[in-house]
Amino acid sequence: IEKYTHSNFTQKQRLDSLSNLLHNTTHAFKELDMNVFLESSTLIGHIRHDGQIPWDNDVDIGRFDFD
């Protein structure tokens, strides 16, 4: 996880890293046939910024228990 949270990243590097983390995580869930969805600030960023909120520092995904 350290490669996603390195403190010397520029803002662009941090956002790219979070984007990669989100992509890889959702891909892994998809491979396991588990449905996930965006939530919280990740969902707001997707709607308002067509991506991540520039000052956000995490990704938020959810999954229903019945999947």
Side-chain angles (χ1 to χ4, degrees):
I1 188 131
E2 185 175 300
K3 71 179 183 178
Y4 296 112
T5 60
H6 196 278
S7 63
N8 293 328
F9 278 5
T10 65
Q11 181 177 4
K12 181 179 178 347
Q13 289 171 318
R14 185 179 51 76
L15 291 174
D16 288 347
S17 181
L18 286 172
S19 180
N20 287 335
L21 174 64
L22 180 61
H23 173 78
N24 292 336
T25 302
T26 55
H27 181 73
F29 277 111
K30 189 173 187 175
E31 289 285 315
L32 296 170
D33 200 29
M34 298 170 75
N35 295 319
V36 295
F37 54 89
L38 302 180
E39 63 178 11
S40 302
S41 61
T42 302
L43 178 59
I44 292 169
H46 180 74
I47 293 168
R48 288 186 184 169
H49 301 277
D50 197 29
Q52 297 149 286
I53 296 174
W55 53 89
D56 202 2
N57 62 0
D58 65 356
V59 295
D60 306 295
I61 58 172
R63 186 183 79 79
F64 291 113
D65 282 340
F66 56 80
D67 280 351

CSV table of all heavy atoms in Angstrom, one decimal, residues 9-36:
chain,number,residue,atom,x,y,z
A,9,PHE,N,4.8,12.5,-3.2
A,9,PHE,CA,4.1,12.6,-4.4
A,9,PHE,C,3.7,14.0,-4.7
A,9,PHE,O,3.3,14.8,-3.8
A,9,PHE,CB,2.9,11.7,-4.5
A,9,PHE,CG,3.2,10.3,-4.7
A,9,PHE,CD1,4.4,9.8,-4.9
A,9,PHE,CD2,2.1,9.4,-4.9
A,9,PHE,CE1,4.6,8.4,-5.1
A,9,PHE,CE2,2.3,8.1,-5.2
A,9,PHE,CZ,3.6,7.6,-5.3
A,10,THR,N,3.7,14.4,-6.0
A,10,THR,CA,3.0,15.6,-6.4
A,10,THR,C,1.5,15.4,-6.4
A,10,THR,O,1.1,14.2,-6.3
A,10,THR,CB,3.5,16.1,-7.8
A,10,THR,OG1,3.0,15.1,-8.7
A,10,THR,CG2,5.0,16.2,-7.9
A,11,GLN,N,0.7,16.4,-6.5
A,11,GLN,CA,-0.7,16.2,-6.5
A,11,GLN,C,-1.1,15.3,-7.7
A,11,GLN,O,-1.9,14.4,-7.5
A,11,GLN,CB,-1.4,17.5,-6.6
A,11,GLN,CG,-2.9,17.4,-6.6
A,11,GLN,CD,-3.7,18.7,-6.6
A,11,GLN,OE1,-3.1,19.8,-6.6
A,11,GLN,NE2,-5.0,18.6,-6.5
A,12,LYS,N,-0.5,15.5,-8.8
A,12,LYS,CA,-0.9,14.7,-10.0
A,12,LYS,C,-0.5,13.2,-9.8
A,12,LYS,O,-1.3,12.3,-10.1
A,12,LYS,CB,-0.2,15.2,-11.3
A,12,LYS,CG,-0.6,14.4,-12.5
A,12,LYS,CD,0.1,14.9,-13.7
A,12,LYS,CE,-0.2,14.1,-15.0
A,12,LYS,NZ,-0.8,12.8,-14.9
A,13,GLN,N,0.7,13.0,-9.2
A,13,GLN,CA,1.1,11.6,-8.9
A,13,GLN,C,0.2,11.0,-7.9
A,13,GLN,O,-0.2,9.8,-8.0
A,13,GLN,CB,2.5,11.6,-8.4
A,13,GLN,CG,3.6,11.9,-9.4
A,13,GLN,CD,5.0,12.1,-8.8
A,13,GLN,OE1,5.1,12.7,-7.7
A,13,GLN,NE2,6.0,11.6,-9.4
A,14,ARG,N,-0.2,11.7,-6.9
A,14,ARG,CA,-1.2,11.2,-5.9
A,14,ARG,C,-2.5,10.9,-6.5
A,14,ARG,O,-3.0,9.8,-6.3
A,14,ARG,CB,-1.3,12.2,-4.7
A,14,ARG,CG,-2.2,11.7,-3.6
A,14,ARG,CD,-2.3,12.8,-2.5
A,14,ARG,NE,-2.7,14.1,-3.0
A,14,ARG,CZ,-4.0,14.4,-3.3
A,14,ARG,NH1,-4.9,13.5,-3.2
A,14,ARG,NH2,-4.3,15.6,-3.7
A,15,LEU,N,-3.0,11.7,-7.3
A,15,LEU,CA,-4.3,11.5,-8.0
A,15,LEU,C,-4.2,10.3,-8.9
A,15,LEU,O,-5.1,9.4,-9.0
A,15,LEU,CB,-4.8,12.7,-8.7
A,15,LEU,CG,-5.3,13.9,-7.8
A,15,LEU,CD1,-5.6,15.1,-8.6
A,15,LEU,CD2,-6.5,13.4,-6.9
A,16,ASP,N,-3.1,10.2,-9.7
A,16,ASP,CA,-2.9,9.1,-10.6
A,16,ASP,C,-2.8,7.8,-9.8
A,16,ASP,O,-3.3,6.7,-10.2
A,16,ASP,CB,-1.6,9.3,-11.4
A,16,ASP,CG,-1.8,10.3,-12.5
A,16,ASP,OD1,-2.9,10.7,-12.8
A,16,ASP,OD2,-0.7,10.7,-13.0
A,17,SER,N,-2.1,7.8,-8.7
A,17,SER,CA,-2.0,6.7,-7.8
A,17,SER,C,-3.3,6.2,-7.3
A,17,SER,O,-3.6,5.0,-7.3
A,17,SER,CB,-1.0,7.0,-6.7
A,17,SER,OG,-0.8,5.8,-5.8
A,18,LEU,N,-4.1,7.2,-6.8
A,18,LEU,CA,-5.5,6.8,-6.3
A,18,LEU,C,-6.3,6.2,-7.4
A,18,LEU,O,-7.1,5.3,-7.2
A,18,LEU,CB,-6.2,8.0,-5.7
A,18,LEU,CG,-5.6,8.5,-4.4
A,18,LEU,CD1,-6.3,9.8,-4.0
A,18,LEU,CD2,-5.9,7.4,-3.3
A,19,SER,N,-6.2,6.8,-8.6
A,19,SER,CA,-7.0,6.3,-9.8
A,19,SER,C,-6.6,4.8,-10.1
A,19,SER,O,-7.4,4.0,-10.3
A,19,SER,CB,-6.7,7.2,-11.0
A,19,SER,OG,-7.4,6.7,-12.1
A,20,ASN,N,-5.3,4.6,-10.0
A,20,ASN,CA,-4.8,3.2,-10.3
A,20,ASN,C,-5.3,2.3,-9.2
A,20,ASN,O,-5.7,1.1,-9.4
A,20,ASN,CB,-3.3,3.2,-10.3
A,20,ASN,CG,-2.7,3.7,-11.6
A,20,ASN,OD1,-3.4,3.8,-12.6
A,20,ASN,ND2,-1.5,4.2,-11.6
A,21,LEU,N,-5.3,2.7,-7.9
A,21,LEU,CA,-5.8,1.9,-6.8
A,21,LEU,C,-7.2,1.6,-7.0
A,21,LEU,O,-7.6,0.4,-6.8
A,21,LEU,CB,-5.6,2.7,-5.5
A,21,LEU,CG,-6.1,2.0,-4.2
A,21,LEU,CD1,-5.5,0.7,-4.0
A,21,LEU,CD2,-6.0,2.9,-3.0
A,22,LEU,N,-8.0,2.6,-7.4
A,22,LEU,CA,-9.5,2.3,-7.6
A,22,LEU,C,-9.7,1.4,-8.7
A,22,LEU,O,-10.4,0.4,-8.6
A,22,LEU,CB,-10.2,3.7,-7.9
A,22,LEU,CG,-11.7,3.6,-8.1
A,22,LEU,CD1,-12.4,3.0,-6.9
A,22,LEU,CD2,-12.2,4.9,-8.5
A,23,HIS,N,-9.0,1.6,-9.8
A,23,HIS,CA,-9.1,0.7,-11.0
A,23,HIS,C,-8.7,-0.8,-10.6
A,23,HIS,O,-9.4,-1.7,-10.9
A,23,HIS,CB,-8.2,1.2,-12.1
A,23,HIS,CG,-8.1,0.2,-13.3
A,23,HIS,ND1,-9.2,0.1,-14.2
A,23,HIS,CD2,-7.2,-0.7,-13.6
A,23,HIS,CE1,-8.8,-0.8,-15.1
A,23,HIS,NE2,-7.7,-1.3,-14.8
A,24,ASN,N,-7.6,-0.9,-10.0
A,24,ASN,CA,-7.1,-2.3,-9.6
A,24,ASN,C,-8.0,-3.0,-8.6
A,24,ASN,O,-8.3,-4.2,-8.7
A,24,ASN,CB,-5.7,-2.2,-9.1
A,24,ASN,CG,-4.7,-1.9,-10.2
A,24,ASN,OD1,-4.9,-2.0,-11.3
A,24,ASN,ND2,-3.6,-1.3,-9.7
A,25,THR,N,-8.5,-2.2,-7.7
A,25,THR,CA,-9.4,-2.8,-6.7
A,25,THR,C,-10.7,-3.2,-7.3
A,25,THR,O,-11.2,-4.3,-7.0
A,25,THR,CB,-9.7,-1.8,-5.5
A,25,THR,OG1,-8.4,-1.4,-5.0
A,25,THR,CG2,-10.6,-2.3,-4.5
A,26,THR,N,-11.3,-2.3,-8.1
A,26,THR,CA,-12.6,-2.7,-8.7
A,26,THR,C,-12.4,-3.8,-9.7
A,26,THR,O,-13.3,-4.7,-9.8
A,26,THR,CB,-13.3,-1.5,-9.4
A,26,THR,OG1,-12.4,-0.9,-10.4
A,26,THR,CG2,-13.7,-0.4,-8.4
A,27,HIS,N,-11.3,-3.9,-10.4
A,27,HIS,CA,-11.0,-5.0,-11.3
A,27,HIS,C,-10.9,-6.3,-10.5
A,27,HIS,O,-11.4,-7.4,-11.0
A,27,HIS,CB,-9.7,-4.7,-12.1
A,27,HIS,CG,-9.3,-5.8,-13.0
A,27,HIS,ND1,-10.0,-6.0,-14.2
A,27,HIS,CD2,-8.4,-6.8,-13.0
A,27,HIS,CE1,-9.5,-7.1,-14.8
A,27,HIS,NE2,-8.5,-7.5,-14.1
A,28,ALA,N,-10.2,-6.3,-9.4
A,28,ALA,CA,-10.1,-7.5,-8.5
A,28,ALA,C,-11.5,-8.0,-8.1
A,28,ALA,O,-11.8,-9.2,-8.1
A,28,ALA,CB,-9.2,-7.2,-7.3
A,29,PHE,N,-12.3,-7.1,-7.6
A,29,PHE,CA,-13.7,-7.5,-7.2
A,29,PHE,C,-14.5,-8.0,-8.4
A,29,PHE,O,-15.2,-9.0,-8.3
A,29,PHE,CB,-14.5,-6.3,-6.6
A,29,PHE,CG,-14.2,-6.0,-5.2
A,29,PHE,CD1,-13.5,-4.9,-4.8
A,29,PHE,CD2,-14.6,-6.9,-4.2
A,29,PHE,CE1,-13.2,-4.7,-3.4
A,29,PHE,CE2,-14.4,-6.7,-2.9
A,29,PHE,CZ,-13.7,-5.6,-2.5
A,30,LYS,N,-14.3,-7.4,-9.6
A,30,LYS,CA,-15.0,-7.9,-10.8
A,30,LYS,C,-14.5,-9.3,-11.1
A,30,LYS,O,-15.3,-10.2,-11.5
A,30,LYS,CB,-14.8,-7.0,-12.0
A,30,LYS,CG,-15.6,-7.3,-13.2
A,30,LYS,CD,-15.5,-6.2,-14.2
A,30,LYS,CE,-16.4,-6.5,-15.3
A,30,LYS,NZ,-16.4,-5.4,-16.4
A,31,GLU,N,-13.2,-9.6,-11.0
A,31,GLU,CA,-12.7,-10.9,-11.2
A,31,GLU,C,-13.3,-12.0,-10.3
A,31,GLU,O,-13.4,-13.1,-10.6
A,31,GLU,CB,-11.2,-10.9,-11.1
A,31,GLU,CG,-10.4,-10.2,-12.2
A,31,GLU,CD,-10.4,-11.0,-13.5
A,31,GLU,OE1,-10.1,-12.2,-13.4
A,31,GLU,OE2,-10.6,-10.4,-14.5
A,32,LEU,N,-13.7,-11.5,-9.1
A,32,LEU,CA,-14.3,-12.4,-8.1
A,32,LEU,C,-15.8,-12.4,-8.3
A,32,LEU,O,-16.5,-13.0,-7.4
A,32,LEU,CB,-13.9,-12.0,-6.7
A,32,LEU,CG,-12.4,-12.1,-6.4
A,32,LEU,CD1,-12.2,-11.4,-5.0
A,32,LEU,CD2,-12.0,-13.5,-6.3
A,33,ASP,N,-16.3,-11.8,-9.3
A,33,ASP,CA,-17.8,-11.7,-9.6
A,33,ASP,C,-18.5,-11.0,-8.4
A,33,ASP,O,-19.6,-11.4,-8.1
A,33,ASP,CB,-18.4,-13.0,-9.9
A,33,ASP,CG,-19.7,-12.9,-10.7
A,33,ASP,OD1,-19.9,-12.0,-11.4
A,33,ASP,OD2,-20.5,-13.9,-10.5
A,34,MET,N,-17.9,-10.0,-7.9
A,34,MET,CA,-18.5,-9.2,-6.8
A,34,MET,C,-18.7,-7.8,-7.3
A,34,MET,O,-17.8,-7.1,-7.8
A,34,MET,CB,-17.5,-9.2,-5.6
A,34,MET,CG,-17.3,-10.6,-5.0
A,34,MET,SD,-15.9,-10.6,-3.8
A,34,MET,CE,-16.8,-9.9,-2.4
A,35,ASN,N,-20.0,-7.3,-7.2
A,35,ASN,CA,-20.3,-6.0,-7.6
A,35,ASN,C,-20.0,-5.0,-6.5
A,35,ASN,O,-20.3,-5.2,-5.3
A,35,ASN,CB,-21.8,-5.9,-7.9
A,35,ASN,CG,-22.2,-6.8,-9.0
A,35,ASN,OD1,-21.5,-6.9,-10.0
A,35,ASN,ND2,-23.3,-7.5,-8.9
A,36,VAL,N,-19.3,-3.9,-7.0
A,36,VAL,CA,-19.0,-2.8,-6.1
A,36,VAL,C,-19.5,-1.5,-6.7
A,36,VAL,O,-19.8,-1.4,-7.9
A,36,VAL,CB,-17.5,-2.7,-5.8
A,36,VAL,CG1,-17.0,-3.9,-5.0
A,36,VAL,CG2,-16.7,-2.5,-7.1
